[in-house]
Amino acid sequence: MSEINKIQNLAARKRRVRATVKGTSERPRLSVFVSNIHISAQIIDDTISKTLAAATSVGKKLTGTKTDIAKAVGTDIAKAAKKAKVTQVVFDRNGRKYTGRIKALAEAAREEGLQF
């Protein structure tokens, strides 16, 4: 499978997911971005197009596997959500499968009290 097809398939999955997942004031959207090295998460209210909370592994001295780093980002985003007074979110995987780092981040956020 060529690199172009992988990118096009990811973009198609992302569009399909974003067509149904919308963040509101009551339940903002938890969007997760995964690169080869880092992972980022942000909580977005789509009605006002504003980021309420964010957490990332960029610029932090986190050690361990990429899954361990994703868990740390998951706990960070849940703590930032509590500061922003957000308890419930809808989960936006950004076209990725719910496995590996995405799953680790989601489970860590749930353990910290974030509901989705």
XYZ file of all heavy atoms in Angstrom:
882
model
N 0.847 -1.180 0.000
C 0.000 0.000 0.000
C 0.890 1.239 0.000
O 1.811 1.344 0.787
C -0.897 -0.032 1.224
C -1.919 1.044 1.265
S -2.921 0.839 2.752
C -4.495 1.016 2.055
N 0.614 2.145 -0.861
C 1.472 3.325 -0.968
C 1.146 4.339 0.125
O 0.096 4.301 0.764
C 1.310 3.966 -2.342
O 0.045 4.578 -2.448
N 2.084 5.235 0.319
C 1.951 6.261 1.357
C 0.777 7.194 1.058
O 0.077 7.639 1.962
C 3.259 7.052 1.462
C 3.306 7.994 2.630
C 3.311 7.278 3.972
O 3.785 6.136 4.051
O 2.817 7.872 4.943
N 0.535 7.472 -0.209
C -0.561 8.370 -0.589
C -1.902 7.749 -0.207
O -2.781 8.433 0.319
C -0.499 8.690 -2.093
C 0.771 9.495 -2.391
C -1.726 9.450 -2.540
C 1.044 9.697 -3.852
N -2.062 6.456 -0.437
C -3.315 5.799 -0.070
C -3.531 5.823 1.436
O -4.658 6.005 1.898
C -3.341 4.354 -0.567
C -3.577 4.267 -2.060
O -4.043 5.215 -2.674
N -3.242 3.138 -2.647
N -2.483 5.624 2.228
C -2.617 5.664 3.682
C -3.075 7.033 4.143
O -3.965 7.150 4.995
C -1.277 5.330 4.350
C -0.894 3.889 4.265
C 0.395 3.654 5.012
C 0.844 2.226 4.899
N 2.084 1.987 5.629
N -2.502 8.075 3.587
C -2.867 9.442 3.969
C -4.309 9.739 3.550
O -5.077 10.329 4.305
C -1.883 10.454 3.357
C -0.499 10.260 3.985
C -2.368 11.876 3.550
C 0.609 11.012 3.287
N -4.688 9.316 2.346
C -6.051 9.539 1.876
C -7.064 8.766 2.711
O -8.137 9.284 3.018
C -6.173 9.146 0.407
C -5.461 10.096 -0.530
C -5.456 9.602 -1.962
O -5.672 8.422 -2.221
N -5.183 10.512 -2.905
N -6.735 7.541 3.088
C -7.645 6.742 3.908
C -7.811 7.351 5.288
O -8.918 7.386 5.833
C -7.148 5.306 4.017
C -7.267 4.554 2.716
O -8.020 4.952 1.835
N -6.514 3.480 2.587
N -6.723 7.851 5.896
C -6.800 8.505 7.192
C -7.666 9.759 7.106
O -8.509 10.009 7.974
C -5.406 8.859 7.715
C -5.357 9.622 9.026
C -5.911 8.764 10.161
C -3.944 10.064 9.341
N -7.486 10.541 6.041
C -8.276 11.757 5.863
C -9.758 11.430 5.693
O -10.629 12.134 6.233
C -7.760 12.547 4.663
N -10.065 10.354 4.979
C -11.462 9.955 4.781
C -12.082 9.510 6.101
O -13.226 9.867 6.410
C -11.554 8.832 3.756
N -11.336 8.724 6.895
C -11.848 8.308 8.201
C -12.058 9.520 9.111
O -13.051 9.592 9.837
C -10.883 7.324 8.863
C -10.941 5.937 8.300
C -10.195 4.941 9.175
N -8.838 5.324 9.484
C -7.769 5.009 8.732
N -7.917 4.317 7.625
N -6.565 5.383 9.104
N -11.153 10.465 9.055
C -11.275 11.668 9.887
C -12.527 12.467 9.509
O -13.278 12.902 10.380
C -10.025 12.535 9.726
C -10.014 13.741 10.614
C -8.719 14.479 10.482
C -8.723 15.721 11.327
N -7.466 16.439 11.283
N -12.768 12.643 8.225
C -13.971 13.364 7.776
C -15.239 12.640 8.205
O -16.217 13.263 8.621
C -13.954 13.515 6.255
C -13.067 14.618 5.749
C -13.331 14.891 4.275
N -13.184 13.702 3.455
C -12.061 13.309 2.864
N -10.965 14.019 3.024
N -12.036 12.216 2.113
N -15.233 11.316 8.107
C -16.401 10.519 8.467
C -16.711 10.635 9.962
O -17.862 10.797 10.354
C -16.152 9.064 8.068
C -17.360 8.202 8.065
C -17.134 6.876 7.354
N -15.931 6.173 7.753
C -14.914 5.880 6.951
N -14.936 6.239 5.679
N -13.862 5.217 7.385
N -15.677 10.598 10.780
C -15.870 10.717 12.228
C -16.321 12.125 12.590
O -17.241 12.315 13.379
C -14.576 10.329 12.977
C -14.662 10.699 14.439
C -14.306 8.852 12.838
N -15.683 13.129 11.989
C -16.018 14.515 12.324
C -17.400 14.928 11.831
O -17.956 15.914 12.287
C -14.966 15.461 11.750
C -13.669 15.429 12.502
C -13.741 16.107 13.867
N -13.869 17.531 13.681
C -14.859 18.249 14.158
N -15.806 17.695 14.872
N -14.906 19.542 13.955
N -17.971 14.174 10.894
C -19.325 14.473 10.433
C -20.345 14.177 11.522
O -21.419 14.781 11.558
C -19.647 13.665 9.184
N -20.016 13.254 12.431
C -20.964 12.889 13.478
C -20.562 13.406 14.852
O -21.426 13.641 15.691
C -21.105 11.358 13.563
O -19.831 10.790 13.808
C -21.673 10.792 12.283
N -19.291 13.602 15.108
C -18.820 14.020 16.438
C -18.746 15.541 16.478
O -17.953 16.149 15.762
C -17.439 13.405 16.758
C -16.911 13.930 18.069
C -17.528 11.908 16.774
N -19.558 16.142 17.312
C -19.574 17.592 17.487
C -19.452 17.920 18.969
O -20.075 17.275 19.804
C -20.893 18.186 16.970
C -21.157 17.944 15.511
C -20.535 19.003 14.664
C -20.978 18.902 13.226
N -20.163 18.045 12.407
N -18.654 18.908 19.297
C -18.508 19.332 20.674
C -19.463 20.463 20.995
O -19.561 21.430 20.241
N -20.174 20.351 22.101
C -21.107 21.390 22.527
C -20.608 21.996 23.828
O -19.598 21.578 24.378
C -22.508 20.805 22.739
O -22.445 19.843 23.795
C -23.034 20.149 21.481
N -21.343 22.949 24.350
C -20.958 23.556 25.617
C -21.081 22.567 26.765
O -20.284 22.582 27.696
C -21.829 24.779 25.899
O -21.637 25.748 24.904
N -22.093 21.683 26.698
C -22.285 20.695 27.753
C -21.285 19.551 27.637
O -20.812 19.027 28.631
C -23.710 20.108 27.703
C -24.822 21.099 27.959
C -25.183 21.886 26.702
O -25.102 21.336 25.586
O -25.529 23.069 26.854
N -21.010 19.123 26.401
C -20.066 18.019 26.149
C -19.095 18.433 25.057
O -19.318 18.144 23.882
C -20.818 16.760 25.727
C -21.552 16.077 26.868
C -22.229 14.827 26.386
N -21.229 13.844 25.991
C -21.139 12.625 26.507
N -21.991 12.243 27.409
N -20.217 11.791 26.103
N -17.999 19.088 25.417
C -17.026 19.471 24.401
C -16.317 18.243 23.821
O -16.418 17.142 24.350
C -16.047 20.372 25.145
C -16.358 20.249 26.573
C -17.670 19.594 26.737
N -15.584 18.458 22.754
C -14.919 17.373 22.031
C -13.483 17.214 22.525
O -12.738 18.181 22.611
C -14.940 17.712 20.540
C -14.217 16.769 19.646
C -14.507 17.088 18.179
N -14.264 18.462 17.807
C -13.168 18.886 17.175
N -12.227 18.058 16.843
N -13.044 20.158 16.875
N -13.094 15.977 22.856
C -11.716 15.653 23.216
C -11.043 15.123 21.960
O -11.275 13.998 21.535
C -11.659 14.615 24.335
C -10.284 14.050 24.682
C -9.327 15.153 25.108
C -10.392 13.006 25.763
N -10.215 15.961 21.339
C -9.549 15.615 20.101
C -8.124 15.172 20.395
O -7.396 15.844 21.133
C -9.540 16.821 19.161
O -8.865 16.518 17.967
N -7.711 14.050 19.803
C -6.387 13.486 20.044
C -5.611 13.463 18.738
O -6.120 13.014 17.702
C -6.497 12.061 20.620
C -5.122 11.472 20.839
C -7.288 12.065 21.904
N -4.363 13.941 18.774
C -3.471 13.904 17.623
C -2.249 13.087 17.983
O -1.632 13.322 19.029
C -3.046 15.308 17.193
C -2.006 15.291 16.110
C -2.371 14.999 14.803
C -0.678 15.537 16.387
C -1.413 14.961 13.802
C 0.276 15.499 15.398
C -0.086 15.221 14.098
N -1.900 12.130 17.128
C -0.749 11.265 17.359
C 0.231 11.418 16.204
O -0.131 11.235 15.040
C -1.180 9.784 17.464
C 0.019 8.894 17.663
C -2.166 9.598 18.584
N 1.472 11.787 16.528
C 2.529 11.799 15.523
C 3.437 10.601 15.782
O 3.168 9.790 16.662
C 3.320 13.107 15.591
O 4.157 13.126 16.726
N 4.518 10.498 15.037
C 5.434 9.384 15.237
C 6.089 9.425 16.609
O 6.405 8.392 17.184
C 6.523 9.382 14.166
C 5.984 8.957 12.824
O 4.933 8.350 12.747
N 6.697 9.292 11.771
N 6.310 10.611 17.145
C 7.034 10.761 18.406
C 6.125 11.246 19.536
O 6.190 10.743 20.646
C 8.210 11.740 18.227
C 9.166 11.230 17.143
C 8.955 11.944 19.531
C 10.180 12.234 16.694
N 5.278 12.219 19.265
C 4.511 12.897 20.307
C 3.017 12.594 20.215
O 2.532 12.053 19.223
C 4.734 14.403 20.234
C 6.142 14.807 20.504
N 6.715 14.717 21.753
C 7.108 15.285 19.695
C 7.960 15.132 21.704
N 8.230 15.477 20.453
N 2.310 13.000 21.262
C 0.850 12.879 21.301
C 0.297 14.142 21.943
O 0.878 14.672 22.899
C 0.400 11.604 22.041
C -1.113 11.409 21.944
C 0.861 11.594 23.470
C -1.565 10.011 22.266
N -0.799 14.645 21.405
C -1.433 15.854 21.917
C -2.921 15.623 22.048
O -3.511 14.868 21.272
C -1.195 17.034 20.975
O 0.172 17.289 20.819
N -3.528 16.298 23.014
C -4.974 16.226 23.213
C -5.479 17.611 23.569
O -4.802 18.358 24.274
C -5.314 15.240 24.321
N -6.663 17.937 23.065
C -7.285 19.201 23.437
C -8.787 19.033 23.534
O -9.376 18.218 22.845
C -6.902 20.325 22.486
C -7.038 20.064 21.039
C -6.540 21.241 20.214
O -6.417 22.358 20.696
N -6.274 20.998 18.949
N -9.372 19.821 24.416
C -10.819 19.811 24.614
C -11.360 21.069 23.956
O -10.964 22.183 24.312
C -11.165 19.748 26.112
C -10.642 18.436 26.691
C -12.658 19.892 26.317
C -10.844 18.279 28.162
N -12.269 20.872 22.994
C -12.716 21.954 22.128
C -14.232 22.097 22.212
O -14.961 21.110 22.120
C -12.313 21.672 20.663
C -10.813 21.425 20.570
C -12.745 22.803 19.750
C -10.376 20.785 19.281
N -14.696 23.338 22.362
C -16.118 23.653 22.269
C -16.372 24.148 20.847
O -15.957 25.247 20.484
C -16.500 24.716 23.293
C -17.985 25.027 23.299
O -18.718 24.478 22.450
O -18.417 25.817 24.153
N -17.012 23.316 20.023
C -17.199 23.648 18.617
C -18.236 24.747 18.388
O -18.242 25.366 17.332
C -17.595 22.395 17.824
C -16.427 21.440 17.663
O -15.293 21.913 17.491
O -16.653 20.215 17.720
N -19.104 25.007 19.362
C -20.115 26.050 19.160
C -19.477 27.433 19.143
O -19.939 28.313 18.423
C -21.187 25.988 20.263
O -20.556 26.106 21.540
C -21.956 24.685 20.184
N -18.408 27.617 19.922
C -17.714 28.906 19.936
C -16.312 28.804 19.347
O -15.566 29.784 19.346
C -17.644 29.489 21.364
C -16.939 28.530 22.322
C -19.013 29.867 21.869
C -16.705 29.111 23.703
N -15.945 27.613 18.844
C -14.644 27.355 18.223
C -13.490 27.775 19.131
O -12.605 28.525 18.737
C -14.531 28.079 16.881
O -15.530 27.640 16.005
N -13.523 27.266 20.359
C -12.506 27.642 21.331
C -11.959 26.396 22.023
O -12.703 25.484 22.363
C -13.107 28.579 22.376
C -12.100 29.120 23.349
C -12.714 30.121 24.292
C -11.670 30.589 25.284
N -12.241 31.430 26.313
N -10.641 26.378 22.238
C -10.006 25.307 22.987
C -10.111 25.623 24.467
O -9.660 26.677 24.918
C -8.532 25.162 22.573
O -8.476 24.847 21.190
C -7.854 24.065 23.363
N -10.696 24.705 25.238
C -10.891 24.917 26.666
C -9.709 24.414 27.490
O -9.384 24.986 28.525
C -12.175 24.222 27.111
C -13.441 24.586 26.340
C -14.607 23.736 26.800
C -13.747 26.064 26.488
N -9.084 23.326 27.038
C -7.945 22.747 27.753
C -7.089 21.985 26.752
O -7.592 21.507 25.738
C -8.420 21.812 28.859
N -5.797 21.867 27.059
C -4.892 21.153 26.166
C -3.774 20.507 26.963
O -3.408 20.983 28.046
C -4.312 22.092 25.119
N -3.240 19.416 26.423
C -2.087 18.735 27.007
C -1.297 18.094 25.872
O -1.877 17.634 24.889
C -2.525 17.673 28.011
N 0.020 18.079 26.007
C 0.862 17.521 24.973
C 2.139 16.952 25.570
O 2.515 17.302 26.694
C 1.196 18.582 23.901
O 1.959 17.975 22.870
C 1.962 19.741 24.491
N 2.795 16.101 24.815
C 4.075 15.552 25.255
C 5.241 16.356 24.693
O 6.389 16.087 25.037
C 4.191 14.094 24.803
O 4.222 14.013 23.398
N 4.977 17.324 23.863
C 6.030 18.137 23.260
C 6.659 19.031 24.322
O 5.963 19.725 25.065
C 5.467 19.003 22.111
C 6.546 19.893 21.518
C 4.850 18.128 21.047
N 7.972 18.993 24.419
C 8.697 19.855 25.352
C 8.743 19.349 26.778
O 9.236 20.041 27.658
N 8.242 18.150 27.024
C 8.269 17.595 28.371
C 9.290 16.477 28.429
O 9.513 15.769 27.454
C 6.887 17.060 28.772
C 5.860 18.152 28.887
C 4.557 17.605 29.372
C 3.539 18.735 29.495
N 2.249 18.249 29.893
N 9.905 16.301 29.558
C 10.900 15.249 29.748
C 10.228 13.982 30.279
O 10.478 13.560 31.395
C 11.972 15.725 30.729
C 12.660 16.999 30.324
C 13.873 16.709 29.509
C 14.655 17.995 29.355
N 15.106 18.262 28.058
N 9.348 13.402 29.489
C 8.652 12.185 29.873
C 9.469 10.977 29.426
O 10.010 10.962 28.320
C 7.269 12.137 29.230
C 6.323 13.282 29.601
C 5.068 13.218 28.758
C 5.975 13.228 31.067
N 9.562 9.978 30.297
C 10.327 8.789 29.954
C 9.399 7.593 29.870
O 8.270 7.625 30.359
C 11.415 8.516 31.007
O 10.793 8.364 32.296
C 12.424 9.642 31.063
N 9.891 6.532 29.265
C 9.102 5.320 29.110
C 8.723 5.105 27.663
O 9.204 5.781 26.750
N 7.837 4.158 27.458
C 7.381 3.858 26.105
C 6.406 4.930 25.628
O 5.954 5.778 26.416
C 6.684 2.486 26.069
O 5.508 2.550 26.890
C 7.602 1.385 26.556
N 6.073 4.879 24.361
C 5.113 5.842 23.813
C 3.748 5.677 24.463
O 3.024 6.651 24.659
C 5.012 5.675 22.297
C 6.269 6.088 21.566
C 6.130 5.865 20.082
C 7.424 6.192 19.368
N 7.332 5.965 17.931
N 3.397 4.445 24.853
C 2.137 4.196 25.542
C 2.151 4.829 26.926
O 1.152 5.413 27.360
C 1.879 2.684 25.643
O 1.946 2.120 24.330
C 0.520 2.394 26.230
N 3.281 4.758 27.629
C 3.399 5.402 28.942
C 3.270 6.915 28.823
O 2.639 7.569 29.660
C 4.744 5.049 29.590
C 4.864 3.583 29.931
O 3.812 2.925 30.089
O 6.008 3.099 30.038
N 3.857 7.469 27.786
C 3.764 8.914 27.556
C 2.312 9.300 27.257
O 1.815 10.328 27.735
C 4.722 9.335 26.424
C 6.170 9.146 26.896
C 4.475 10.758 25.991
C 7.210 9.310 25.824
N 1.599 8.462 26.490
C 0.188 8.727 26.189
C -0.647 8.700 27.465
O -1.566 9.512 27.635
C -0.338 7.709 25.184
N -0.332 7.793 28.386
C -1.039 7.743 29.670
C -0.817 9.027 30.454
O -1.738 9.574 31.063
C -0.572 6.548 30.494
C -1.048 5.224 29.986
C -0.492 4.086 30.831
C -0.847 2.739 30.239
N -0.239 1.622 30.971
N 0.416 9.529 30.451
C 0.725 10.769 31.162
C -0.043 11.946 30.567
O -0.574 12.794 31.292
C 2.227 11.032 31.121
N -0.141 11.999 29.247
C -0.898 13.068 28.590
C -2.387 12.926 28.915
O -3.088 13.923 29.115
C -0.642 13.061 27.070
C -1.562 14.039 26.357
C 0.808 13.410 26.782
N -2.876 11.693 29.017
C -4.273 11.458 29.378
C -4.608 11.984 30.771
O -5.654 12.598 30.980
N -3.715 11.752 31.720
C -3.954 12.286 33.069
C -3.851 13.809 33.078
O -4.616 14.482 33.762
C -2.968 11.684 34.086
O -1.638 11.941 33.665
C -3.181 10.203 34.241
N -2.921 14.361 32.285
C -2.775 15.817 32.207
C -4.023 16.477 31.626
O -4.479 17.505 32.126
C -1.563 16.202 31.360
C -0.244 15.897 32.035
O -0.251 15.601 33.250
O 0.801 15.955 31.348
N -4.600 15.886 30.570
C -5.778 16.495 29.955
C -6.980 16.396 30.884
O -7.807 17.298 30.941
C -6.075 15.897 28.557
C -7.094 16.757 27.796
C -6.580 14.481 28.625
C -6.622 18.087 27.386
N -7.072 15.320 31.665
C -8.183 15.192 32.605
C -8.064 16.228 33.720
O -9.061 16.826 34.135
C -8.223 13.787 33.186
N -6.851 16.474 34.195
C -6.644 17.489 35.223
C -6.930 18.884 34.679
O -7.527 19.724 35.366
C -5.219 17.403 35.765
C -4.983 16.169 36.604
C -3.546 16.054 37.052
C -3.319 14.754 37.818
N -1.911 14.558 38.164
N -6.522 19.142 33.430
C -6.811 20.436 32.810
C -8.309 20.610 32.593
O -8.833 21.721 32.710
C -6.062 20.552 31.488
N -9.005 19.515 32.304
C -10.460 19.582 32.124
C -11.146 19.921 33.442
O -12.124 20.680 33.461
C -10.980 18.262 31.575
N -10.651 19.365 34.543
C -11.232 19.690 35.852
C -11.064 21.169 36.169
O -11.972 21.809 36.707
C -10.577 18.853 36.946
C -11.051 17.426 36.985
C -10.396 16.669 38.115
C -10.781 15.201 38.093
N -10.080 14.432 39.137
N -9.899 21.731 35.818
C -9.675 23.163 36.039
C -10.632 24.002 35.198
O -11.075 25.063 35.626
C -8.236 23.538 35.697
C -7.245 23.121 36.737
C -5.865 23.624 36.389
C -4.853 23.142 37.400
N -3.484 23.569 37.042
N -10.952 23.514 33.998
C -11.868 24.228 33.108
C -13.326 23.884 33.399
O -14.218 24.301 32.662
C -11.540 23.908 31.657
N -13.566 23.091 34.453
C -14.901 22.691 34.887
C -15.640 21.887 33.819
O -16.830 22.080 33.583
C -15.706 23.905 35.324
C -15.096 24.599 36.513
C -15.865 25.791 36.951
C -15.136 26.414 38.146
N -15.523 27.761 38.389
N -14.914 20.967 33.188
C -15.479 20.068 32.190
C -15.434 18.661 32.775
O -14.388 18.208 33.219
C -14.677 20.115 30.874
C -15.186 19.080 29.896
C -14.743 21.501 30.270
N -16.599 17.986 32.797
C -16.635 16.630 33.336
C -16.974 15.596 32.272
O -16.566 14.448 32.375
C -17.660 16.513 34.472
O -18.942 16.916 33.974
C -17.268 17.382 35.651
N -17.730 15.986 31.236
C -18.129 15.063 30.180
C -17.652 15.579 28.834
O -17.749 16.780 28.553
C -19.647 14.910 30.140
C -20.219 14.204 31.338
C -21.710 13.987 31.178
O -22.375 14.699 30.445
N -22.230 12.980 31.863
N -17.150 14.666 28.008
C -16.681 15.026 26.678
C -17.125 13.965 25.678
O -17.536 12.876 26.057
C -15.138 15.156 26.625
C -14.648 16.295 27.470
C -14.462 13.863 27.027
N -17.042 14.299 24.395
C -17.177 13.311 23.333
C -15.775 13.078 22.779
O -14.976 14.008 22.680
C -18.155 13.746 22.218
C -19.565 13.772 22.731
C -17.774 15.088 21.648
N -15.460 11.842 22.439
C -14.100 11.456 22.072
C -13.919 11.483 20.562
O -14.666 10.840 19.827
C -13.800 10.062 22.626
C -12.350 9.688 22.580
C -11.390 10.467 23.204
C -11.944 8.548 21.920
C -10.056 10.116 23.175
C -10.615 8.184 21.893
C -9.667 8.973 22.519
N -12.937 12.232 20.096
C -12.595 12.340 18.681
C -11.226 11.698 18.477
O -10.217 12.245 18.887
C -12.587 13.805 18.251
C -12.215 13.993 16.797
O -12.171 12.991 16.058
O -11.973 15.146 16.403
N -11.210 10.521 17.853
C -9.966 9.780 17.638
C -9.179 10.313 16.457
O -8.077 9.868 16.186
C -10.276 8.297 17.378
C -10.962 7.619 18.513
C -11.406 6.220 18.125
N -12.556 6.263 17.216
C -12.566 5.758 15.990
N -11.527 5.156 15.509
N -13.651 5.846 15.246
N -9.742 11.247 15.713
C -9.080 11.838 14.556
C -8.795 10.808 13.469
O -7.757 10.847 12.813
C -7.785 12.537 14.960
C -7.853 14.026 14.766
O -8.657 14.511 13.986
N -7.029 14.750 15.464
N -9.687 9.849 13.279
C -9.541 8.860 12.228
C -8.668 7.674 12.591
O -8.489 6.779 11.788
N -8.123 7.667 13.787
C -7.245 6.564 14.214
C -8.074 5.455 14.854
O -9.174 5.682 15.343
C -6.221 7.057 15.238
C -5.355 8.189 14.781
C -4.260 7.681 13.929
N -3.390 8.788 13.526
C -2.202 8.615 13.053
N -1.699 7.421 12.914
N -1.489 9.653 12.688
N -7.513 4.243 14.897
C -8.172 3.130 15.555
C -8.042 3.279 17.065
O -7.056 3.830 17.556
C -7.557 1.802 15.125
C -7.845 1.436 13.703
C -7.254 0.083 13.376
C -7.552 -0.313 11.951
N -6.965 -1.616 11.607
N -9.035 2.765 17.782
C -9.022 2.817 19.246
C -8.160 1.678 19.763
O -8.640 0.638 20.199
C -10.445 2.726 19.798
C -10.526 2.922 21.291
C -10.507 4.188 21.837
C -10.609 1.837 22.148
C -10.577 4.373 23.187
C -10.674 2.010 23.512
C -10.660 3.280 24.024
O -10.720 3.457 25.382
N -6.856 1.863 19.690
C -5.897 0.874 20.162
C -4.582 1.575 20.462
O -4.372 2.715 20.040
C -5.702 -0.245 19.114
O -4.856 -1.251 19.643
C -5.105 0.288 17.841
N -3.728 0.936 21.210
C -2.398 1.477 21.467
C -2.413 2.763 22.260
O -2.975 2.843 23.350
N -1.780 3.786 21.690
C -1.632 5.066 22.397
C -2.961 5.785 22.586
O -3.183 6.415 23.622
C -0.650 5.967 21.646
C 0.766 5.458 21.737
C 1.734 6.403 21.102
N 1.848 6.119 19.678
C 2.478 6.905 18.822
N 3.038 8.015 19.224
N 2.551 6.580 17.547
N -3.867 5.672 21.605
C -5.183 6.305 21.727
C -5.941 5.689 22.907
O -6.518 6.395 23.737
C -5.985 6.129 20.416
C -5.266 6.779 19.245
C -7.393 6.644 20.569
C -5.388 8.257 19.146
N -5.923 4.381 22.990
C -6.618 3.676 24.067
C -5.995 3.995 25.420
O -6.703 4.218 26.405
C -6.573 2.170 23.810
C -7.342 1.351 24.805
C -7.319 -0.117 24.426
C -8.096 -0.939 25.435
N -8.072 -2.370 25.090
N -4.665 4.063 25.488
C -3.979 4.372 26.740
C -4.336 5.771 27.234
O -4.610 5.971 28.423
C -2.464 4.246 26.554
N -4.383 6.739 26.325
C -4.753 8.108 26.696
C -6.190 8.146 27.201
O -6.482 8.753 28.232
C -4.582 9.038 25.494
C -4.839 10.514 25.760
C -3.810 11.356 25.026
C -6.225 10.920 25.364
N -7.102 7.475 26.492
C -8.516 7.497 26.871
C -8.732 6.851 28.236
O -9.468 7.385 29.079
C -9.346 6.786 25.813
N -8.101 5.711 28.484
C -8.282 5.028 29.762
C -7.687 5.827 30.911
O -8.260 5.867 32.007
C -7.676 3.627 29.694
C -8.483 2.695 28.821
C -7.853 1.329 28.650
O -6.697 1.130 29.076
O -8.532 0.454 28.095
N -6.550 6.486 30.686
C -5.948 7.313 31.736
C -6.840 8.512 32.057
O -6.994 8.891 33.221
C -4.558 7.776 31.312
N -7.458 9.094 31.036
C -8.365 10.223 31.258
C -9.609 9.768 32.022
O -10.101 10.483 32.904
C -8.754 10.852 29.928
N -10.104 8.580 31.705
C -11.264 8.042 32.424
C -10.926 7.777 33.886
O -11.751 8.012 34.770
C -11.754 6.759 31.767
C -12.546 6.979 30.518
C -13.194 5.693 30.041
N -13.871 5.888 28.785
C -13.456 5.398 27.632
N -12.364 4.671 27.564
N -14.138 5.622 26.527
N -9.732 7.269 34.152
C -9.320 6.996 35.539
C -9.240 8.265 36.357
O -9.466 8.237 37.575
C -7.968 6.289 35.555
C -8.028 4.848 35.100
C -6.671 4.207 34.999
O -5.664 4.822 35.416
O -6.595 3.050 34.504
N -8.941 9.380 35.728
C -8.882 10.670 36.426
C -10.251 11.326 36.587
O -10.357 12.407 37.156
C -7.940 11.631 35.692
C -6.484 11.276 35.821
C -5.978 11.461 37.248
O -6.345 12.450 37.914
O -5.197 10.602 37.683
N -11.305 10.684 36.046
C -12.663 11.189 36.277
C -13.354 11.811 35.079
O -14.485 12.272 35.185
N -12.703 11.851 33.931
C -13.322 12.406 32.734
C -14.285 11.372 32.149
O -13.927 10.204 32.006
C -12.250 12.772 31.721
C -12.580 13.792 30.660
C -13.024 15.116 31.282
C -11.386 14.033 29.774
N -15.507 11.777 31.841
C -16.530 10.839 31.362
C -16.744 10.996 29.863
O -16.974 12.090 29.381
C -17.847 11.063 32.082
C -17.784 10.813 33.558
C -19.072 11.170 34.247
O -20.012 11.619 33.629
N -19.116 10.955 35.544
N -16.662 9.860 29.152
C -17.003 9.807 27.730
C -17.230 8.400 27.285
O -17.033 7.455 28.029
C -15.966 10.488 26.835
C -14.557 10.016 26.986
C -14.040 9.068 26.135
C -13.733 10.557 27.961
C -12.731 8.668 26.249
C -12.425 10.163 28.073
C -11.915 9.198 27.219
